[in-house]
Amino acid sequence: MLARGMARALSATSADTADVDAGFEHAHGLEVEFDDVVMSFLFLIAVWVGGKAAAGMRMPSLVGELAVGLVMGPPLLDVVPLAEALMLYGEVGLLLLVLEAGLDADLPMMRTVGPRGVAIALCGTCLPVCIAAGLGRAVLGLDPLASLAAGCTLAPSSIGIALNVLRAADALNTPIGQLIIASAVLDDVIALLLLTLLQALGSDASPASMVAPAVASVGLMAAAVVIAKHGTPRLVRLAERVAPAQLRSGGRAAEERALLLLLLLVTAVFVPLAHSLGSSHLLGAFLAGLSCCTIPRLHDAWIKQVKRLQSWLVKLFFAATCGFIVPVRSFASATVFGRAALFSCAGLGKL
């Protein structure tokens, strides 16, 4: 009797749940397949194992993560569902990684390495553009605009890879680490300016629209330094004086949540602002972190509250955002492989 009663109750519950699920799917048009859940879970496991295996072979973990994305993603097996969603989360991971780099910045050290960072960024961008454009024009016979476009695609440095390697080597807060990050961020901005110039050459854009992103980038960098030195420290001191008694009684946990909220709000301003002004959204993320780098205890709060989430999203950046877009199958073409080998000579400009 009891067993039959429980069976009827479970049946009724299952029917109600099915009705709720069906209504949800009908109302919102959303549906999650079981196979997609399983394959996504297996992909995450493979990414983690691949990173650990690469680290065990004394290579950066990103090598293993990238390899897993190449094999399981669209380039080869194509067994990972919702690839665009994983790539999107990877982009969020890169944004958080760059934000943390700004948060870790040392303003006096950045001031010291600043001129050298600008020089390295200019050389590391202009030389690859000139080499690739010259090879495209002289060897492949491309027209001037196509040769310049080829050079612009090879100019940027990967700030995500630079940050990952420097952090793994515990060299991010050293003078050379700060120099590399400063030059990589500027390199990203210069590459964006080159892209704007390239688009303008193919259209009727005005000279003002070509200069605006550079002016906006310089202005945002100056604003971030001023905010870091004079804005956010004073704001934190003011908040400590006028904070409600409930917040003050919450102890260190409440303080950490408030500081993280401030950082996220600053990021929510800088990132869209940089993008809307024609600059790089990654520059906006870096400057948001830089604006808050002088706040005591904020870095500890970041490590406690965000670091674990960030580490997984960064894994998705290398495995999905980078790994899913590599056209591995095209490498079998002798023409593609030959031209890739030719243009790889532009990398000498980075040395």
Side-chain angles (χ1 to χ4, degrees), residues 3 7 13 33 100 104 107 122 150 156 166 174 186 250 265 270 272 314 325 328 339:
T13 304
E33 298 290 341
E100 186 186 18
D104 287 341
L107 280 181
L122 288 173
L166 287 172
T174 62
L186 292 174
L265 290 176
F270 264 100
V314 170
I325 62 174
V328 179
R339 292 190 175 190

Side-chain angles (χ1 to χ4, degrees), residues 274-312:
H275 179 74
S276 64
L277 293 176
S279 185
S280 168
H281 70 284
L282 294 180
L283 175 67
F286 180 80
L287 295 180
L290 185 69
S291 299
C292 299
C293 70
T294 53
I295 301 178
R297 302 175 300 278
L298 180 54
H299 187 264
D300 292 338
W302 178 273
I303 292 176
K304 291 179 182 179
Q305 303 286 345
V306 185
K307 189 67 175 180
R308 290 184 181 274
L309 172 63
Q310 174 196 320
S311 65
W312 274 100

Side-chain angles (χ1 to χ4, degrees), residues 211-258:
V211 177
V215 176
S217 300
V218 174
L220 287 173
M221 286 187 279
V225 172
V226 172
I227 293 173
K229 293 177 65 175
H230 306 290
T232 47
R234 294 180 180 178
L235 180 62
V236 170
R237 289 194 296 267
L238 176 63
E240 289 175 348
R241 290 196 299 267
V242 302
Q246 295 87 344
L247 182 60
R248 290 197 298 270
S249 63
R252 189 176 182 85
E255 179 186 13
E256 290 178 350
R257 288 193 295 269

Side-chain angles (χ1 to χ4, degrees), residues 26-51:
H26 176 74
H28 301 281
L30 299 176
E31 184 177 1
V32 178
E33 298 290 341
F34 173 74
D35 292 343
D36 292 347
V37 175
V38 173
M39 288 308 303
S40 298
F41 181 63
L42 293 178
F43 174 68
L44 291 177
I45 295 175
V47 169
W48 183 80
V49 172

Side-chain angles (χ1 to χ4, degrees), residues 131-218:
I131 293 173
L135 291 173
R137 182 68 174 158
V139 180
L140 300 179
L142 302 177
D143 62 77
L145 192 59
S147 299
L148 180 60
C152 290
T153 59
L154 298 171
S157 298
S158 175
I159 187 172
I161 293 178
L163 283 169
N164 188 282
V165 173
L166 287 172
R167 193 172 298 283
D170 198 21
L172 182 59
N173 291 323
T174 62
I176 189 64
Q178 294 287 295
L179 176 62
I180 292 173
I181 293 306
S183 60
V185 172
L186 292 174
D187 189 82
D188 187 68
V189 175
I190 295 172
L192 184 67
L193 298 179
L194 288 175
L195 177 61
T196 303
L197 175 63
L198 186 65
Q199 293 172 338
L201 291 175
S203 62
D204 298 327
S206 63
S209 63
M210 298 166 57
V211 177
V215 176
S217 300
V218 174

